[in-house]
C-alpha cells in the first residue's frame, strides 16, 4: 500500500513489522461498509435468525412464568432460607450488571482514549449493556418480599414524610443503576442517530423503486420509523459538530459510571459486616471483574454474529478479538490477584471469622463453586498469553464461555458461601436453588437474546459512520479519499 | 347473598343458638327484621364463633352473670379475675384469671391472659407458693389446642357404623341410661379431688374404674410406699440438694412437673453475685446415669452412658458402695449386690468422657460419686438420689436406700401421704370386660396408645355401648364409639386438681365451651344419675368439703388460684430396709447387655407431643426437640458406635461427618471444615435412611438419627407420634409416601412388659429414605466462643476469663454499665457509686446513632432521660427446656410454617435455642444458648434497610415497622446473630394441611416448590373445593380457608379453622403478612402497656413536680415489664429491665464478672448479654476435665490459653502442634 502514496507527500513508511493491521480488512470502500452493515437489516431474514429468536422467545417464557408464580405466591418459591436470604436473584443481578460494563467501557473510556478499534464493536456492546441492565434490573425489583411496595425505595414525597434510608447501599443501588441505565440508553441512542438517518435514506431509495404494494408499504413504514428516530438528521456540518460535542460529553459522563456502578453494587456487600463481604478490595475488584465478564460476553455474542453475517468479519477482525482477549487477560489477572489478596488479608488480618469464611469457600460445603470460579476466571484466561489462542475465534469463544460461567460463580461464591456459614455455628445452613430460581434466570437469558436478536435485525449493529471514520479512505490525503490511518 | 343465607341456616347442623323466640322459629318476619336491623352483620347471625358474635355472647354473659339469669348454652358462673384486673370489664384491656392445667398426677398453676373473653396467653401463677411464674412448653402451647379446628365439635351417635351429629340431649340420655353394674370406665390419671369423689360414689353403685397412662409416673409412689411402709409419694426438693444423682431420671424434662424441678434445680445452681460468691461453693452438682441423651444428661456435670435396662446394675453398685461406706449391716446383701453388678467396665466400655487417652472406669466413677455424696452429707449438706419413671421399682428402692443412708429423707426427699385410688389398670379392664358390658372412655386414646398386646378392638367388639368422651372425634378410639361426647378444653372447664406438692388448685373456665363440650366431671355425674351435674357446683362442693363453706374462701381460692396450706403434711418415715431388700431379691432382674444383634429400645416421653396428646398442636410440633433439634418427627436415635455397627464406617459417615472428629485425616487446626459433629446433610436437607425396628414380633419403621451421647447399642424412640389425628400433625401412612411430618407410632412396638425399654431388638435397613427437619446442621461451636464457660473451681482465680475470648476488648461487654467502661467491673466495685448514670459518664460511640447526638463528645449511646431496656440470659441456669420458645410464639402471633418449611430452614421462631456439642463424639459436653434479637445499639440491620423499616428508639429498642418493610432481607444478611425471620409465604393465611383441595395433614406448603403453592394454580383449592383465587376475590380478608358458613364437610359439619385461627391471635401484636421481616421486639407491646399504666398511675400526682422529677416519675419500676420468654422461664434464666438504672436487677447482672456479649468484638453493642456458663465438676471423677471441652477447642483454634495456670503445656494437644 505504501507505494500508492502520491509522490507529493513525503512520508517515510513505518517498518513493515510495525504496521498495524487495518481495522477494516481488504481495503474496503466506504460504500461497501454502508452496504454491508445496512444489508443485515435490508436483506432477507436469515433462517438461523428465525430459529434462534424462536428459541430465545421460548426460553424467555421462563421469566413471566417464574415471576408470576413468585409474585402471586411469595419469595418462598425460591430456594432462599435462613441464613441464606439472598441467593440466585442477587447473584444474577450482579452478574448481569457486570456484563453491562464492557459496553460502557468500550463506548466511553475507549472513545476518550482514542482507541479506534472500538468503533466496530461499540454499538453492539452498548446494546448488550442496555439489555443486560434490563435483565439485571428485574432481580432487585422482584426479589423483595412485597413487590408492590418497590416504589418506597424512591424518594417520593408522601403523606407520612417517610424517606428512604440514605445509608443503605440498596438505595445507592437504586440511584446508581437507574442513572447508569438512563445514561447508557442516551449514549447509545445518540450514537445511533447518524446511522438511523442512513437507514432512513436507504429505505427511501428502495421504497421509491419497489412496486409491489406490500413491500412498498413495509419500506415506507421503515423509512418513517427510522426517520422519526433520526430526529431530522441531515448530516450537515453543523449537525456533525453538535453531535460530536454531545458524544464527547456523554462519553465523559459515562466514564465515571463505569467505575461507580459496580463499586456501588460491591458496596451491597462491602458495607455489611459479614466475613467474606466486608472487605475494602471489593470496589476495584468488582469493576475489574465486570469489565472482564463484560468483554467475555461481547465476544460471546460477536464471534458467532460475525461469522453468520457475510462481510462483518472484515469489519470485526481478528485484530479486534485479539485486543479484547488481551483485556480479558489483564482484567482476569486483576481478579485473580484480588482472590489471592482476599485470602492473604483473611490470614494476615487475624480475624478467625474472616479466615474461616475464606477457608470455607475453598474447602467447605460449596467448594465446587469456588473451584469453578478459580478455573474459569483465573486459569482459563491464561491461555491468552499465547498468540494462537488470542487469534482463533472458536477458541476465544470457548474461553469466553468459561469466563461467563466463572463470573457467575464468583458472585455465587461471594453471596452464598459467605451467608451460609457466618458467625454463629448454630445458625449455619445450606442453600440450593429451586426450579423457579433457575427458570427465572434462564428466562432472562431468553429475554436478553430476544432483545439482542431484534437489535441485530432492526438496527445497524455496527456504527456505520464511526467505522467509516477510521478507515484510511476517510483521510482526505488518501488517494481514495484520505491518508493511511 | 341473602338467598344463600337461608339455605345455610337450614343446612347448618352445628350448635344452634337463638336470640329470641322469633329467631328460633326462623320466621321470614324475623329474617326481614334482622336484615333491616343488621344489614352488614346478617351473615354473622348463625355464626357461632365469629368474633363479633363471640363478643356478643361474652359481653352478655358478663353483664348477666350474678343476676340469676342463665345463658342460652349453659349456666354461667362468675369467675373472679386475678388481682391485676379492674373490677369491671374494660374493653381492650386484658384480664388475668387464675386457673390451672391438669396433668397426669398434678397440675400446673396458671394465670391466663384473656382479651375480650378470649384466652390468648398462658402464664405461670407466680403467686403460687414457691412458684416463679415459670411453666413448661406444654402449658404454654395448651391455649392453641383450645382453638384446634380438628377438635370434636358435635355430639354424635353411631348409626350404621358411622358417627352422625345428633342433639346433645340424646347423647346425654345414653349416659344416664347406663346400667351401673355393667359399666366400665377407662380414664386418664387425674389429681382432681372432685373426680375422686364422683368415682368413689360411682364405685359404690357398681361401676368399675380403670386408669391408663401410656407414660406413667406412679412408680415413684409405688416404690416409696414399699420403701417407707405406708402409702406415700416422694416429693423431691432439688433446690436444697448440693449434689444430685440421677439414675435415668430426666427430671428436667420428661418427669412429672419438670418445670418445678427446673426451677428448683436452677435455684440451686444459680450464682447470684459472682463478686461475692465463690461458685464452687454455691452451685449444686449433677451426676447423671442414663441411656438416652436426655435434657437432664446434657445439663449434668458428670454423665455415664449406660443402657436403660442395665441401669439397675449401676444402681446396685451405687447402693453397694453406699452401704459399704456407711458400714451398714446387711447380712450379706452387699455381696449379693456385688454379684448382681458383675463387670460393668467390661460390659460398657467407653461409657464416660476422658480427658486423656485411656479406658473409662465405671467403678471409679461410681466410687468417686458416692464419696462426693457422702462427703457432702458428712458436712451436713443435703444431696438427692432420684430414679426415673422408666426404671423398675428396684432402682427406685436403691435410690431411696441411698437417700436414707445420706440423710436426705425429710430434707430433699419429702414423703407425702396419698390415698391409693384403687382403680384398675388397662390389663384389668381387658380381663374384666365381658360381652355386652358398657364401656366409657374418658380422654386418652387407648386405640392408639394401649400396649400392643392388649386386644383393644376385642374389647370394643364385646361392648354393648361404647361411650367416648374425648377431645377429638377423629382419633382411633372415637371412631369406633357408639356415642361421642366432645370434651371441653381445660380453659373451658370447671374443675380442681392438686399440684405435684399436693396444693389444691382450681380449674376455672376462661370461656364458655366453644363447641359445647362436657367436662369429665359432668360426664361422671351424669353416669351416676346425680341431680347435680353442673361441674361448677361439683367443684365447689368438693372445695367446701376440704376448706369449709363460705363465699369468701371460695372467692379467694379462685382469685389466688390455689388454696394455701392445702397440701397434706409431709411425713418423716423410716426407710424399711427389710422390705426393700425383700423386694429387690424378689424382682431385681438383670438384662442382657445389649449388643450389635441385640439392641435395646428405650421409649421416651416426647418434648413436643408428650404421649400424643399434643399431636395436633402446631406450636409444639414445630418446636425442635432441645437435644436433637428435630421438629415435626420422631426418629430412631442411635450412638456413633451403633451407627457404625449398623451401617459400616462409610455409610455412617452419611449421618454425621465424624471423619472430621477423629482428626485422623484431618488437622483440626488448619482444616476446620465443616467441623466436628456437623450433621451430614444432602444439600442442607436430611434424607435419613429408614430402618425397620423389630422388637419381638412387632415392627416399626423410622428414620435413623445419630445422636452423640446415646448409650451404645441402644435405640431411643419418642412416643406420641403417628397418632394420625388432625390436619396439623395427623399425617399417616408409610413414611416413604409422605412428607408432612408427624412421625411414626412407637406404641405399636410396646407391650405391657416393655413399657419403657425392650431388649433383643434388631434394626434393619428398609432401603427407603425419609426427610427429617433438623433445625441445626452444625452441632459444634468449632472453637468460636459464642457460649463461654468455665469450671466453677477455676472461676475464683479467673474471674475475668470471659473477657479474654475472641477479639473482644473490655469495652465490648461493659459499655452499658456506668463506671465499667474503662476497666474491669471488679476493679471498679469499690468506687462504683450506685447513681443513675448522667450524660457525662456514658461512653461515646464511634458510630452515629439515630438519637442523642452530642457535638463535643460524639453521639451518646443512651438517652438517659428515658429508660434503657436490656436483657441478661444466664447460661448457667438455662437448661434448654423450650418454654420460652413456645411462650414467644404464643405471645407474638408467630405462625407455624410446616415441616417442609422447617426443613428448608424457614422456621419463624424468634428465639432459637442453639445446642452445641463439644469434646468426645461418644461422650460430648453440651451447651445451650437461647438466641433472639440482641437489640444492638449499633445495629447492623438498621443501616442497611433502604426503607427505614427497622430503626432504633430512644429506649434502645431495635424496632421493626412491619408496615414499612418491603422485604429486601438485607437486614437478615447483615445480622451477625441471624435472629431475623422472614415470611417467605403467607404463613398466616394459607389453610392448614390442605393440598389440591384435599386434607393432607402436616402439609402447609408443598415439599417441592411446585406450582400448587401458588393461589393462582387452578388445582389449588380450599378445603371446600373452591379455587383459592375465587375465594380471595370474594373475600380478600378471609384468606384461603373456608369459614363457618361454607366449606362444609361431608357430615354436614362446618370447618371453623379460619375463625379459630383469628380468635387465637394476640390483638396487641400485628399479624405479619408475607414478604415481611420479623424478629424479637423485647415484647414491645408489654413495655408500652406498662408505660401507659405508669402514666395512668402517676397522672394526678406529678403536676407539682419539676421537669426532672416528672421524667423520673414516668420510669416504670423494675420488674414490672416481663417479656414472654422471661415470664415463662422456669429457671429464671432471663432478666429484663432498665440498664441505665443502677438499682435494677438487669444492671446488677450486667455488672457480673461473667457478663459478656456474643460477638462483642463487632462492636454492635448488643443490649442482650449473657452470663457465662459455669460447670461444677468433681475433680476426682475419671471424667473430670481441667477446662470445659469448648474452651479446649477455643484454645486450640485461637492459639489461646484461657485458664493458663491450669493447663499442662507439656502434653496433650499443645505438644502435638
Amino acid at each position: 500500500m505504501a507505494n500508492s502514496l502520491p509522490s507529493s507527500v513525503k512520508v517515510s513508511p513505518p517498518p513493515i513489522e510495525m504496521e498495524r493491521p487495518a481495522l477494516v480488512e481488504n481495503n474496503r470502500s466506504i460504500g461497501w461498509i454502508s452496504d454491508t452493515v445496512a444489508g443485515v437489516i435490508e436483506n432477507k431474514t436469515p433462517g438461523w435468525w428465525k430459529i434462534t429468536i424462536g428459541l430465545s422467545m421460548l426460553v424467555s417464557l421462563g421469566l413471566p412464568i417464574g415471576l408470576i408464580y413468585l409474585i402471586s405466591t411469595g419469595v418462598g418459591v425460591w430456594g432462599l432460607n435462613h441464613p441464606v436470604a439472598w441467593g440466585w436473584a442477587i447473584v444474577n443481578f450482579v452478574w448481569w450488571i457486570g456484563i453491562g460494563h464492557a459496553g460502557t467501557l468500550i463506548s466511553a473510556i475507549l472513545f476518550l482514549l482514542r482507541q479506534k478499534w472500538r468503533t466496530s464493536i461499540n454499538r453492539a456492546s452498548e446494546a448488550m449493556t442496555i439489555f443486560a441492565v434490563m435483565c439485571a434490573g428485574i432481580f432487585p425489583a422482584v426479589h423483595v418480599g412485597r413487590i408492590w411496595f418497590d416504589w418506597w425505595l424512591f424518594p417520593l414525597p408522601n403523606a407520612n414524610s417517610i424517606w428512604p434510608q440514605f445509608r443503605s447501599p440498596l438505595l445507592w443501588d437504586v440511584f446508581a443503576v437507574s442513572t447508569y441505565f438512563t445514561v447508557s440508553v442516551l449514549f447509545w441512542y445518540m450514537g445511533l442517530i447518524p446511522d438511523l438517518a442512513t437507514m432512513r435514506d436507504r429505505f427511501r431509495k428502495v421504497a421509491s423503486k419497489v412496486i409491489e404494494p406490500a413491500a412498498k408499504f413495509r419500506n415506507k413504514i421503515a423509512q418513517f420509523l427510522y426517520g422519526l428516530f433520526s430526529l431530522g438528521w441531515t448530516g450537515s456540518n453543523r449537525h456533525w459538530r453538535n453531535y460530536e460535542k454531545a458524544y464527547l460529553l456523554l462519553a465523559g459522563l459515562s466514564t465515571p459510571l463505569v467505575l461507580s456502578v459496580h463499586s456501588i453494587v460491591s458496596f451491597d456487600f462491602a458495607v455489611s459486616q459479614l466475613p467474606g463481604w466486608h472487605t475494602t478490595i471489593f470496589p476495584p475488584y468488582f469493576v475489574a471483574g465486570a469489565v472482564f465478564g463484560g468483554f467475555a460476553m461481547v465476544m460471546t455474542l460477536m464471534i458467532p454474529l460475525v461469522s453468520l453475517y457475510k462481510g462483518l468479519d472484515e469489519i470485526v477482525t481478528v485484530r479486534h478479538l485479539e485486543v479484547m482477549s488481551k483485556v480479558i487477560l489483564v482484567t482476569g489477572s486483576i481478579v485473580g490477584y484480588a482472590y489471592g489478596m482476599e485470602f492473604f488479608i483473611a490470614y494476615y488480618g487475624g480475624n478467625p471469622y474472616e479466615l474461616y469464611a475464606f477457608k470455607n469457600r475453598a474447602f467447605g460445603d460449596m467448594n465446587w463453586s469456588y473451584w469453578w470460579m478459580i478455573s474459569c476466571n483465573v486459569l482459563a484466561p491464561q491461555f491468552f498469553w499465547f498468540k494462537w489462542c488470542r487469534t482463533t475465534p472458536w477458541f476465544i469463544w470457548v474461553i469466553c464461555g468459561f469466563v461467563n460461567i466463572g463470573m457467575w460463580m464468583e458472585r455465587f461464591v461471594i453471596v452464598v458461601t459467605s451467608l451460609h456459614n457466618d458467625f454463629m455455628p448454630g445458625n449455619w445452613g445450606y442453600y440450593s436453588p429451586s426450579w423457579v430460581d433457575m427458570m427465572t434466570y434462564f428466562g432472562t437469558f431468553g429475554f436478553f437474546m430476544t432483545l439482542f436478536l431484534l437489535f441485530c435485525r432492526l438496527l445497524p449493529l455496527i456504527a456505520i459512520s464511526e467505522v467509516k471514520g477510521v478507515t484510511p479512505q476517510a483521510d482526505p490525503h488518501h488517494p481514495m479519499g484520505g491518508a493511511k490511518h | 347473598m341473602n338467598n344463600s343465607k337461608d339455605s345455610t341456616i337450614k343446612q347448618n347442623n352445628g350448635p344452634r343458638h337463638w336470640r329470641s323466640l322469633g329467631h328460633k322459629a326462623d320466621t321470614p318476619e324475623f329474617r326481614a327484621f334482622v336484615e333491616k336491623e343488621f344489614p352488614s352483620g346478617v351473615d354473622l347471625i348463625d355464626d357461632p364463633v365469629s368474633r363479633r358474635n363471640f363478643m356478643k355472647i361474652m359481653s352478655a354473659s358478663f353483664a348477666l352473670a350474678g343476676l340469676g339469669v342463665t345463658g342460652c348454652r349453659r349456666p354461667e358462673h362468675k369467675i373472679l379475675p386475678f388481682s391485676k384486673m379492674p373490677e369491671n370489664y374494660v374493653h381492650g384491656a386484658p384480664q388475668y384469671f387464675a386457673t390451672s392445667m391438669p396433668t397426669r398426677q398434678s397440675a400446673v398453676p396458671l394465670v391466663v391472659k384473656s382479651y375480650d373473653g378470649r384466652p390468648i396467653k398462658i402464664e405461670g401463677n407466680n403467686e403460687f407458693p414457691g412458684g416463679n411464674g415459670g411453666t413448661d412448653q406444654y402449658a404454654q402451647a395448651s391455649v392453641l389446642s383450645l382453638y384446634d379446628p380438628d377438635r370434636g365439635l358435635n355430639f354424635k351417635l353411631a348409626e350404621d357404623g358411622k358417627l352422625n351429629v345428633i342433639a346433645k340431649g340424646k347423647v346425654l340420655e345414653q349416659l344416664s341410661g347406663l346400667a351401673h353394674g355393667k359399666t366400665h370406665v377407662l380414664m386418664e390419671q387425674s389429681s382432681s379431688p372432685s373426680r375422686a369423689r364422683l368415682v368413689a360414689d360411682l364405685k359404690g353403685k357398681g361401676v368399675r374404674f380403670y386408669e391408663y397412662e401410656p407414660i406413667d409416673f406412679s412408680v415413684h409412689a409405688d416404690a416409696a410406699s414399699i420403701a417407707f411402709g405406708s402409702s406415700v409419694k416422694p416429693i423431691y426438693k432439688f433446690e436444697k440438694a448440693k449434689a444430685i444423682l440421677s439414675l435415668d431420671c430426666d427430671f428436667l424434662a420428661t418427669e412429672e412437673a419438670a418445670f418445678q424441678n427446673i426451677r428448683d434445680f436452677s435455684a440451686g445452681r444459680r450464682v447470684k453475685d459472682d463478686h461475692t460468691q465463690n461458685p464452687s461453693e454455691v452451685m449444686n452438682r449433677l451426676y447423671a446415669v442414663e441411656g438416652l441423651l436426655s435434657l437432664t444428661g446434657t445439663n449434668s456435670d458428670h454423665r455415664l452412658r449406660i443402657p436403660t435396662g442395665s441401669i439397675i446394675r449401676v444402681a446396685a453398685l451405687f447402693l453397694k458402695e453406699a452401704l459399704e461406706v456407711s458400714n451398714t449391716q446387711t447380712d450379706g446383701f452387699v455381696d449379693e449386690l456385688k454379684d448382681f453388678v458383675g463387670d460393668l467396665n467390661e460390659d460398657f466400655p467407653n461409657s464416660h468422657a476422658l480427658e486423656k487417652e485411656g479406658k473409662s472406669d465405671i467403678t471409679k466413677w461410681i466410687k468417686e460419686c458416692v464419696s462426693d455424696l457422702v462427703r457432702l452429707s458428712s458436712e451436713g449438706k443435703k444431696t438427692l438420689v432420684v430414679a426415673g419413671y422408666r426404671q423398675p421399682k428396684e432402682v427406685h428402692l436403691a435410690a431411696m436406700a441411698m437417700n436414707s443412708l445420706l440423710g436426705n429423707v425429710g430434707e430433699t426427699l419429702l414423703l407425702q401421704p396419698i390415698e391409693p385410688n384403687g382403680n384398675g389398670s388397662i390389663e384389668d379392664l381387658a380381663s374384666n370386660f365381658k360381652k355386652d358390658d358398657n364401656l366409657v372412655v374418658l380422654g386418652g386414646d387407648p386405640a392408639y396408645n394401649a400396649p400392643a398386646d392388649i386386644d383393644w378392638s376385642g374389647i370394643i367388639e364385646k361392648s354393648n355401648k361404647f361411650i367416648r368422651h374425648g377431645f377429638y372425634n377423629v382419633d382411633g378410639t372415637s371412631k369406633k364409639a357408639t356415642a361421642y361426647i366432645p370434651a371441653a378444653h381445660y380453659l373451658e372447664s370447671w374443675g380442681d386438681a392438686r399440684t405435684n406438692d399436693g396444693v389444691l388448685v382450681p380449674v376455672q373456665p376462661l370461656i364458655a365451651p366453644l363447641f359445647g363440650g362436657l367436662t369429665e366431671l359432668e360426664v361422671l355425674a351424669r353416669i351416676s344419675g346425680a341431680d347435680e351435674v353442673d361441674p361448677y357446683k361439683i367443684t365447689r362442693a368438693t372445695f367446701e368439703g376440704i376448706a369449709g363453706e363460705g363465699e369468701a374462701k371460695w372467692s379467694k381460692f379462685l382469685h389466688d388460684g390455689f388454696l394455701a396450706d392445702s397440701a397434706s403434711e409431709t411425713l418423716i418415715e423410716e426407710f424399711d430396709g427389710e422390705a426393700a431388700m425383700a423386694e429387690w431379691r424378689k424382682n431385681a432382674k438383670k438384662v442382657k447387655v445389649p449388643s450389635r444383634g441385640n439392641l435395646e429400645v428405650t421409649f421416651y416421653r416426647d418434648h413436643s407431643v408428650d404421649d400424643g396428646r399434643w399431636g395436633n398442636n402446631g406450636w409444639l410440633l414445630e418446636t425442635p426437640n432441645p437435644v436433637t433439634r428435630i421438629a415435626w418427627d420422631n426418629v430412631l436415635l442411635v450412638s456413633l458406635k451403633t451407627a457404625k455397627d449398623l451401617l459400616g464406617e462409610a455409610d455412617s459417615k452419611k449421618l454425621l461427618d465424624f471423619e472430621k472428629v477423629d482428626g485422623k485425616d484431618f488437622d483440626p487446626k488448619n482444616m476446620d471444615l465443616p467441623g466436628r459433629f456437623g450433621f451430614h446433610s444432602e444439600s442442607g436437607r436430611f434424607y435419613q435412611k429408614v430402618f425397620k425396628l423389630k422388637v419381638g414380633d412387632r415392627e416399626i419403621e423410622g428414620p435413623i438419627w445419630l445422636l452423640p451421647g446415646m448409650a451404645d447399642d441402644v435405640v431411643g424412640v419418642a412416643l406420641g407420634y403417628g397418632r394420625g389425628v388432625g390436619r396439623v400433625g395427623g399425617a399417616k401412612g408409610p413414611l416413604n409416601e409422605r412428607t408432612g411430618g408427624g412421625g411414626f407410632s412407637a406404641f405399636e412396638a410396646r407391650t405391657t412388659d416393655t413399657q419403657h425399654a425392650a431388649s433383643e431388638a434388631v434394626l434393619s435397613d428398609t432401603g427407603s429414605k425419609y426427610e427429617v427437619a433438623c433445625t441445626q446442621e452444625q452441632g459444634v461451636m468449632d472453637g468460636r466462643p459464642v457460649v463461654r464457660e468455665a469450671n466453677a473451681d477455676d472461676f475464683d482465680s479467673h474471674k475475668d476469663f470471659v473477657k479474654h475470648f475472641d477479639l473482644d476488648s473490655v469495652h465490648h461487654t461493659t459499655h452499658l454499665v456506668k463506671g465499667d467502661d474503662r476497666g474491669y467491673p471488679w476493679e471498679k466495685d469499690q468506687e462504683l457509686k450506685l447513681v443513675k448514670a448522667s450524660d457525662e459518664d456514658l461512653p461515646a460511640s464511634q458510630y452515629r446513632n439515630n438519637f442523642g447526638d452530642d457535638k463535643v463528645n460524639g453521639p451518646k449511646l443512651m438517652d438517659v432521660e428515658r429508660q434503657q431496656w436490656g436483657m441478661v440470659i444466664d447460661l448457667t441456669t438455662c437448661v434448654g427446656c423450650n418454654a420460652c420458645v413456645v411462650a414467644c410464639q404464643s405471645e407474638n402471633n408467630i405462625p407455624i410454617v410446616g415441616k417442609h418449611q422447617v426443613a428448608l430452614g424457614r422456621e419463624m421462631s424468634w428465639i432459637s435455642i442453639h445446642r452445641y456439642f463439644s469434646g468426645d463424639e461418644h461422650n460430648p459436653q453440651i451447651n445451650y444458648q437461647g438466641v433472639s434479637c440482641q437489640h444492638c445499639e449499633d445495629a447492623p440491620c438498621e443501616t442497611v434497610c433502604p426503607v427505614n423499616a427497622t430503626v432504633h428508639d430512644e429506649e434502645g429498642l431495635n424496632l421493626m415497622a412491619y408496615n414499612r418493610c418491603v422485604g429486601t432481607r438485607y437486614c437478615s444478611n447483615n445480622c451477625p446473630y441471624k435472629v431475623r425471620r422472614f415470611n417467605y409465604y403467607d404463613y398466616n393465611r394459607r389453610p392448614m394441611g390442605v393440598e389440591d383441595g384435599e386434607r393432607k395433614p402436616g402439609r402447609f406448603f408443598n415439599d417441592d416448590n411446585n406450582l400448587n403453592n401458588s393461589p393462582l394454580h387452578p388445582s389449588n383449592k380450599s378445603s371446600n373445593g373452591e379455587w383459592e383465587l375465587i375465594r380471595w376475590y370474594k373475600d380478600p380478608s378471609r384468606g384461603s380457608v373456608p369459614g363457618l358458613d361454607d366449606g362444609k364437610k361431608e357430615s354436614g359439619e362446618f370447618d371453623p379453622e379460619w375463625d379459630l385461627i383469628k380468635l387465637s391471635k394476640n390483638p396487641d401484636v400485628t399479624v405479619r403478612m408475607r414478604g415481611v421481616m420479623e424478629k424479637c421486639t423485647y415484647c414491645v407491646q408489654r413495655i408500652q402497656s406498662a408505660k401507659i399504666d405508669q402514666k395512668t398511675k402517676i397522672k394526678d400526682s406529678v403536676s407539682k413536680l419539676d421537669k426532672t422529677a416528672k421524667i423520673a416519675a414516668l420510669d416504670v419500676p423494675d420488674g414490672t415489664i416481663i417479656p414472654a420468654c422471661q415470664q415463662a422461664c422456669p429457671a429464671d434464666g432471663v432478666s429484663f429491665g432498665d440498664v441505665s438504672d443502677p438499682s435494677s436487677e438487669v444492671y446488677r447482672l450486667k455488672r457480673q464478672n461473667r457478663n459478656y456479649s456474643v460477638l462483642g468484638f463487632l462492636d454492635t453493642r448488643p443490649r442482650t448479654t449473657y452470663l457465662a456458663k459455669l460447670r461444677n465438676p468433681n475433680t476426682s471423677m475419671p471424667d473430670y476435665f481441667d477446662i470445659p471441652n469448648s474452651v479446649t477447642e477455643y484454645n486450640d483454634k485461637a492459639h489461646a490459653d484461657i485458664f493458663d495456670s491450669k493447663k499442662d503445656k507439656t502434653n496433650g494437644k499443645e505438644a502435638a502442634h
Side-chain angles (χ1 to χ4, degrees), chain B residues 119 157 308 413 475 501 577 586 686 706 753 785 941 988 1063 1072 1215:
Chain B
L157 273 183
T308 311
L413 173 68
D475 65 13
D501 38 15
K586 199 170 93 192
F686 295 92
L706 199 163
D753 300 332
C941 51
N988 277 303
L1063 286 179
R1072 284 80 54 183

Side-chain angles (χ1 to χ4, degrees), chain A residues 378-395:
Chain A
V378 184
L379 303 181
Q382 302 309 321
F383 284 102
F384 289 153
W385 287 108
F386 306 103
K387 178 126 184 145
W388 180 87
C389 302
R390 293 198 302 268
T391 51
T392 310
W394 69 264
F395 188 81

Side-chain angles (χ1 to χ4, degrees), chain B residues 367-618:
Chain B
K367 259 200 177 85
E368 293 297 345
C369 177
V370 169
S371 76
D372 190 32
L373 297 175
V374 169
R375 178 186 59 81
L376 287 165
S377 147
S378 68
E379 289 170 8
K381 291 172 182 157
K382 293 304 156 199
T383 55
L384 183 58
V385 183
V386 284
Y389 76 91
R390 273 190 295 267
Q391 292 300 323
K393 262 181 225 159
E394 300 79 59
V395 177
H396 286 256
L397 290 173
M400 304 277 178
M402 288 181 68
N403 281 322
S404 163
L405 291 171
L406 293 163
N408 298 335
V409 181
E411 300 282 346
T412 52
L413 173 68
L414 303 182
L415 301 169
Q416 192 173 53
I418 48 165
E419 295 215 7
N421 59 26
N423 294 330
S425 67
I426 194 165
E427 295 97 80
D428 298 336
L429 171 70
S431 54
N432 292 352
F433 202 78
K434 298 199 181 57
K435 182 103 182 100
D436 288 340
D437 278 359
N438 299 319
L439 178 63
V440 179
V441 176
L442 306 178
D445 187 3
Y448 158 71
N449 61 23
D453 51 349
I454 299 271
D455 180 14
W456 179 255
S457 48
I459 298 175
I460 303 299
E461 274 165 31
K462 275 195 280 184
S463 68
N464 173 22
K465 281 183 189 160
F466 168 23
I467 300 177
R468 162 70 167 158
H469 169 255
F471 199 66
Y472 296 104
N473 62 21
V474 285
D475 65 13
T477 310
S478 305
K479 277 178 184 163
K480 302 275 182 204
T482 54
Y484 170 76
I485 301 168
H489 189 268
Y490 78 89
L491 291 171
E492 303 167 329
S493 308
W494 274 108
D496 49 15
R498 283 188 185 274
T499 60
N500 201 38
D501 38 15
V503 179
L504 186 69
V505 289
V507 178
Q508 286 199 81
L510 273 279
I511 182 169
L514 282 173
F515 301 105
L518 299 192
T519 65
E520 221 176 32
L521 296 181
E522 184 167 352
V523 173
L524 289 173
R526 285 188 185 274
I527 294 173
S528 76
D531 298 335
E532 191 48 79
V533 295
D534 179 353
Y536 167 78
K537 295 201 174 135
I538 296 169
T539 310
R540 185 159 178 174
T542 314
F543 174 80
E544 283 170 355
I546 296 169
E549 289 188 18
E551 188 64 31
K553 276 183 192 164
W554 173 244
S555 299
K556 185 171 164 47
F557 176 56
L558 298 184
H559 174 273
D560 295 351
F562 60 91
L563 178 64
D565 305 323
S566 55
S568 344
E569 288 290 312
T570 55
L571 309 168
I572 308 266
E573 293 277 355
E574 270 304 300
F575 180 75
D576 186 351
E578 289 299 319
M581 220 187 301
E583 180 73 20
W584 177 283
R585 283 179 171 140
K586 199 170 93 192
N587 288 329
K589 270 198 308 260
K590 227 162 136 172
V591 176
K592 219 168 117 191
V593 179
S595 62
R596 186 170 169 173
N598 166 28
L599 300 171
E600 184 185 290
V601 185
T602 301
F603 302 103
Y604 65 97
R605 181 188 180 199
D606 189 69
H607 270 81
S608 290
V609 300
D610 197 330
D611 55 6
R613 63 186 67 194
W614 306 112
N616 199 38
N617 188 310

Side-chain angles (χ1 to χ4, degrees), chain A residues 71 78 165 168 268 435, chain B residues 906 942 944 970 1009-1010 1074:
Chain A
I71 293 165
W78 287 348
Q165 221 256 92
S168 170
D268 286 349
W435 65 264
Chain B
R906 295 174 182 170
E942 291 171 13
V944 297
Y970 197 173
N1009 279 311
N1010 69 48
R1074 79 171 162 96

Side-chain angles (χ1 to χ4, degrees), chain B residues 900-1082:
Chain B
H900 173 59
Q901 295 293 301
V902 175
L904 281 176
R906 295 174 182 170
E907 65 275 10
M908 296 298 288
S909 58
W910 289 359
I911 307 175
S912 41
I913 298 190
H914 295 167
R915 175 239 40 220
Y916 295 112
F917 295 110
S918 55
D920 181 359
E921 69 274 22
H922 303 284
N923 298 288
Q925 284 185 352
I926 284 120
N927 289 305
Y928 294 104
Q929 183 176 37
V931 183
S932 58
C933 177
Q934 310 274 307
H935 291 270
C936 309
E937 292 178 348
D938 283 324
C941 51
E942 291 171 13
T943 53
V944 297
C945 174
V947 293
N948 266 326
T950 184
V951 288
H952 235 75
D953 77 357
E954 299 88 335
E955 300 180 352
L957 297 180
N958 171 239
L959 306 172
M960 256 318 291
Y962 300 125
N963 283 343
R964 179 68 182 169
C965 178
V966 299
T968 66
R969 306 183 295 287
Y970 197 173
C971 52
S972 167
N973 289 343
N974 207 25
C975 173
Y977 311 97
K978 289 282 175 288
V979 289
R980 291 174 158 263
R981 300 287 182 267
F982 188 67
N983 287 275
Y984 280 101
Y985 288 119
D986 225 346
Y987 294 121
N988 277 303
R989 272 266 180 92
R990 301 294 300 281
M992 295 193 274
V994 172
E995 186 190 316
D996 290 345
E998 279 176 52
R999 279 258 173 264
K1000 288 190 181 160
R1003 302 294 276 270
F1004 294 82
F1005 293 89
N1006 284 319
D1007 51 323
D1008 287 301
N1009 279 311
N1010 69 48
L1011 284 169
N1012 270 337
N1013 281 343
S1014 170
L1016 300 183
H1017 196 267
S1019 81
N1020 202 356
K1021 290 174 184 148
S1022 310
S1023 54
N1024 69 340
E1026 191 167 37
W1027 185 21
E1028 281 199 27
L1029 203 63
I1030 300 281
R1031 173 169 299 285
W1032 174 82
Y1033 176 74
K1034 285 181 179 167
D1035 184 0
S1037 75
R1038 165 143 273 171
S1040 44
V1041 190
L1044 293 177
D1045 50 354
D1046 46 16
K1048 286 177 197 64
K1049 292 197 235 166
E1050 270 176 51
S1051 57
E1053 288 174 75
F1054 55 82
D1055 186 347
E1057 177 178 316
W1058 183 237
D1059 302 82
L1060 287 175
I1061 286 175
K1062 288 197 281 190
L1063 286 179
S1064 69
K1065 300 290 183 196
N1066 182 353
D1068 280 347
V1069 181
T1070 317
V1071 176
R1072 284 80 54 183
M1073 76 175 300
R1074 79 171 162 96
V1076 171
M1077 191 61 79
E1078 60 185 67
K1079 66 164 188 74
C1080 159
T1081 61
Y1082 276 166

